[in-house]
Amino acid sequence: PDQLLPTRPLLVLLHQAHGSATVLVFLLPELHLPPARVACPEGLFSLKGKGFAWYHQENQSDMVQSRDYLLKLVQRLGPKRPVIFAGLSQGAVMSIIAGLHCPNKVRAIVSMSGFIPNPSENLRDLIAPRSTPILIVHGQTDAMIPIADAYRGRINLEAQGYHPVFKTFAMGHTTSQA
C-alpha cells in the first residue's frame, strides 16, 4: 500500500472557481506523471450551490487561509512526501502560492490559466528552491484572466529567481489536450 511508497509523489490537483474536487481528474492521463497519490481537495468557500472557490475577489486573507489549508493537507498526507501542485484558474493561483511556500520537496508547479495576485504579499517568504520547475500555460484569447496578467506572473517569479516555462495556446480560459 501507499505507506510502503513514501517517495511516491503527492499530486495536489486544484479546481477553478465554481468547480469541485474532482472536476480536473480527466487531466490525469494527459499529464504523463509517474505513479502518484492524488489529492483533489475542495475549495474552502462554497458558492451557494454553484461549486466552490479558493478565495473571493482576490481577497488576500482568503488566499492565505486556503494556502495554509493546502499546506496542512500536504503535511497530513505525508510530511516527507514530494509534491506536485497543479491547478486551473483559481487553482492555478493556489498552486503557485501553496507550492512556493511548501516545506516538502516540490517536484513541480503547474499553473493553467492563472496569474499571481498581490505579488508583494504572495511572493514573500518563499520556501521552494529557485530550481523548482514551474510551468505556466495560458490561452492567448483568455477573456477571464488576460494573458498580460499571466505574463506579469512570469516576470514576478523571475524577479524572485525562479525560471518558469511560459507557454501559450490558441484558446480561451479552458483546458485542452494540446
Side-chain angles (χ1 to χ4, degrees):
D2 205 50
Q3 293 91 342
L4 301 176
L5 299 168
T7 59
R8 178 181 281 187
L10 171 65
L11 169 62
V12 181
L13 196 56
L14 303 174
H15 64 80
Q16 72 279 19
H18 301 284
S20 61
T22 58
V23 72
L24 297 177
V25 169
F26 77 94
L27 287 175
L28 288 174
E30 303 303 320
L31 295 175
H32 303 288
L33 295 172
R37 182 173 188 184
V38 179
C40 299
E42 203 98 82
L44 296 181
F45 302 99
S46 173
L47 298 176
K48 297 179 176 53
K50 296 181 180 175
F52 296 86
W54 295 104
Y55 55 86
H56 297 99
Q57 300 290 324
E58 298 182 38
N59 180 299
Q60 185 62 31
S61 104
D62 289 357
M63 286 182 228
V64 169
Q65 185 178 348
S66 289
R67 179 199 70 196
D68 292 348
Y69 164 75
L70 292 168
L71 295 177
K72 286 177 187 167
L73 175 70
V74 166
Q75 291 306 297
R76 193 173 80 237
L77 294 175
K80 296 183 193 274
R81 183 184 298 270
V83 65
I84 299 166
F85 287 92
L88 172 67
S89 195
Q90 277 197 1
V93 169
M94 295 314 305
S95 291
I96 291 173
I97 294 170
L100 295 178
H101 288 91
C102 187
N104 294 46
K105 176 178 177 34
V106 178
R107 284 217 181 140
I109 298 170
V110 180
S111 169
M112 299 174 281
S113 297
F115 71 116
I116 302 174
N118 310 323
S120 63
E121 293 294 320
N122 289 315
L123 297 181
R124 191 172 56 190
D125 302 323
L126 303 176
I127 295 173
R130 298 317 189 249
S131 60
T132 301
I134 301 171
L135 173 62
I136 300 170
V137 294
H138 209 85
Q140 296 163 350
T141 59
D142 189 330
M144 187 167 295
I145 299 174
I147 196 167
D149 290 352
Y151 188 76
R152 267 193 298 282
R154 171 190 176 184
I155 299 300
N156 285 315
L157 288 169
E158 289 173 344
Q160 293 290 326
Y162 292 95
H163 307 283
V165 173
F166 188 83
K167 295 195 177 269
T168 63
F169 295 92
M171 58 188 250
H173 191 78
T174 187
T175 56
S176 169
Q177 291 185 344

